[in-house]
Amino acid sequence: ALFLVLGVASMAFGALVGAHLWYRGWTTGLPSPTGTIILFLLAEVVGFQLCLQAIVLDIQATPRERA
């Protein structure tokens, strides 16, 4: 549950701030620095990895029938 909560929060943070940077760049015509873009792209990637790990752990914890 912790991986899923942190993953969704990280992805939401990256998406919201990324959208803000995109909007600011669109309205001002000034490009965002590369480091700023990578910082929020990293938040997106880490969030996706945390959500993926939450799914893997959920599947592994599923009880199996013994044959």
Side-chain angles (χ1 to χ4, degrees), residues 3-19 40-52 55:
F3 281 163
L4 186 60
V5 170
L6 290 176
V8 169
S10 179
M11 288 180 68
F13 174 73
L16 290 174
V17 176
F40 298 108
L41 183 62
L42 180 66
E44 285 288 317
V45 171
V46 169
F48 178 76
Q49 289 294 321
L50 286 171
C51 289
L52 194 61
I55 293 170

Side-chain angles (χ1 to χ4, degrees), residues 2-67:
L2 183 63
F3 281 163
L4 186 60
V5 170
L6 290 176
V8 169
S10 179
M11 288 180 68
F13 174 73
L16 290 174
V17 176
H20 170 71
L21 290 174
W22 176 81
Y23 178 74
R24 189 178 70 180
W26 181 266
T27 57
T28 63
L30 298 173
S32 295
T34 305
T36 306
I37 295 170
I38 295 300
L39 182 66
F40 298 108
L41 183 62
L42 180 66
E44 285 288 317
V45 171
V46 169
F48 178 76
Q49 289 294 321
L50 286 171
C51 289
L52 194 61
Q53 187 62 31
I55 293 170
V56 167
L57 289 174
D58 188 43
I59 290 172
Q60 287 178 347
T62 303
R64 295 191 180 117
E65 291 183 18
R66 302 273 181 196

